């Protein structure tokens, strides 16, 4: 059953401009589903879902869509979802020195709305031997428009089982020494404190955005209709996002149909 009436009230999206450094940020400790202690064998599951309209200006660059955690270059863990080399998207889980990377080549159509759902079921994600590597990889899923999008999985030092600190939370860029800003449009961002990969078809809803306040309700839900400053959490406990946008024209009349 597709819910079609929602399109009449979900008409606006935020347009991210890489050259202006536009982004969304929040206190990372409001999203405790992502945190973990070093060596924790049973970290919490989570799911991230959002509508993304990537721009063709991406070219050969790498652009941050979502970032949570510490500084990977300093060996700190992070969750990174990024667009790379045009119509590709990937998830990197871990640090520069220990990580799992899930590449989705030619799965992220430019100048078109894509629904991206990334999930993690919880559990061990790394170690110092390769025996458990396939088990670590199987804990993650990436779907684009309800289709399994992963084309290649790579690792550095058999994955990452260190801590995931609540230091940074960004949508649209990582505010570090090598900023990677996003060019494109984003609509309806949802976070679940559970693995919702089994419910992906219901969330996808045949490619029609729906009112998630009544279906597979997220822990946190953000929509964009009125503000380029503070984006309220529709389903959570006042975990608002601070939007760094500079013009009302960044709130665009372009949303998934």
């Amino acid at each position: 059953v597709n819910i079609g009436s929602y399109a009449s009230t979900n008409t606006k999206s935020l347009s991210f401009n890489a050259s202006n450094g536009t982004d969304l940020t929040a206190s990372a400790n409001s999203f405790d589903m992502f945190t973990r202690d070093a060596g924790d064998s049973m970290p919490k599951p989570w799911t991230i879902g959002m509508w993304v309209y990537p721009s063709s200006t991406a070219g050969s660059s790498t652009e941050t869509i979502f970032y949570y955690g510490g500084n990977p270059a300093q060996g700190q863990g992070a969750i990174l979802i990024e667009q790379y080399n045009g119509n590709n998207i990937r998830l990197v889980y871990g640090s520069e020195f220990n990580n799992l990377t899930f590449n989705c080549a030619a799965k992220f159509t430019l100048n078109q709305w894509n629904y991206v759902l990334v999930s993690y079921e919880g559990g061990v994600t790394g170690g110092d031997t390769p025996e458990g590597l396939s088990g670590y990889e199987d804990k993650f899923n990436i779907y684009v428009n309800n289709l399994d999008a992963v084309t290649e999985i790579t690792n550095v030092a058999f994955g990452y089982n260190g801590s995931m600190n609540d230091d940074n939370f960004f949508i649209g860029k990582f505010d570090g020494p090598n900023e990677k800003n996003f060019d494109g449009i984003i609509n309806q961002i949802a976070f679940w404190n559970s693995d919702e990969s089994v419910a992906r078809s219901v969330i996808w809803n045949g490619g029609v955005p729906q009112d998630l306040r009544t279906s597979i309700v997220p822990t946190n839900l953000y929509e964009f209709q009125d503000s380029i400053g503070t984006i309220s959490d529709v389903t959570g406990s006042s975990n608002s996002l601070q939007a760094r946008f500079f013009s009302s024209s960044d709130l665009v009349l372009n949303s998934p149909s």
Side-chain angles (χ1 to χ4, degrees):
V1 176
N2 292 341
I3 301 172
S5 62
Y6 183 62
S8 63
T9 57
N10 180 43
T11 60
K12 296 179 182 178
S13 307
L14 279 174
S15 179
F16 291 71
N17 186 312
S19 61
N20 289 344
T22 50
D23 71 3
L24 296 170
T25 187
S27 175
N29 61 18
S30 297
F31 300 86
D32 62 357
M33 71 278 281
F34 299 124
T35 61
R36 62 180 292 179
D37 297 325
D40 185 357
S41 62
M42 289 302 296
K44 305 178 186 73
W46 48 260
T47 302
I48 303 168
M50 64 178 75
W51 288 94
V52 186
Y53 189 106
S55 170
S56 59
T57 61
S60 61
S61 65
T62 302
E63 303 187 1
T64 300
I65 297 172
F66 174 80
Y67 187 93
Y68 180 96
N71 187 338
Q74 296 179 4
Q76 299 170 356
I79 302 166
L80 170 66
I81 302 172
E82 62 184 3
Q83 178 185 1
Y84 67 100
N85 296 339
N87 64 338
N88 311 297
I89 190 172
R90 65 184 166 211
L91 166 71
V92 183
Y93 186 89
S95 72
E96 181 179 338
F97 311 109
N98 298 77
N99 66 62
L100 296 173
T101 298
F102 301 82
N103 294 301
C104 306
K107 302 293 185 178
F108 198 43
T109 307
L110 302 178
N111 298 319
Q112 174 181 305
W113 283 108
N114 299 262
Y115 192 73
V116 178
L117 188 81
V118 180
S119 68
Y120 163 59
E121 71 175 45
V124 176
T125 57
D128 57 4
T129 60
E131 285 79 3
L133 187 58
S134 62
Y136 307 156
E137 297 168 345
D138 289 345
K139 297 180 183 301
F140 295 88
N141 290 288
I142 305 176
Y143 301 97
V144 178
N145 299 328
N146 201 35
L147 298 176
D148 185 353
V150 177
T151 56
E152 179 189 36
I153 305 173
T154 63
N155 76 90
V156 175
F158 311 121
Y160 180 79
N161 64 354
S163 61
M164 194 71 67
N165 299 328
D166 55 0
D167 295 334
N168 298 282
F169 178 103
F170 291 101
I171 296 168
K173 80 171 184 179
F174 170 52
D175 193 11
N178 298 306
E179 293 187 2
K180 300 174 181 179
N181 300 332
F182 177 65
D183 253 321
I185 309 172
I186 294 179
N187 178 277
Q188 195 189 59
I189 305 168
F191 301 97
W192 289 265
N193 60 3
S194 52
D195 176 5
E196 295 297 340
S197 58
V198 175
R200 65 184 183 276
S201 294
V202 178
I203 297 169
W204 162 241
N205 193 43
V208 180
Q210 60 179 303
D211 189 348
L212 289 175
R213 292 170 296 182
T214 61
S215 176
I216 318 296
V217 179
T219 309
N220 307 95
L221 176 63
Y222 303 94
E223 298 179 340
F224 318 111
Q225 284 296 113
D226 304 310
S227 176
I228 59 168
T230 300
I231 312 300
S232 299
D233 186 351
V234 178
T235 59
S237 55
S238 69
N239 298 325
S240 298
L241 302 182
Q242 298 305 307
R244 290 190 279 204
F245 290 79
F246 308 102
S247 170
S248 58
S249 63
D250 294 326
L251 196 61
V252 296
L253 280 169
N254 184 350
S255 62
S257 59

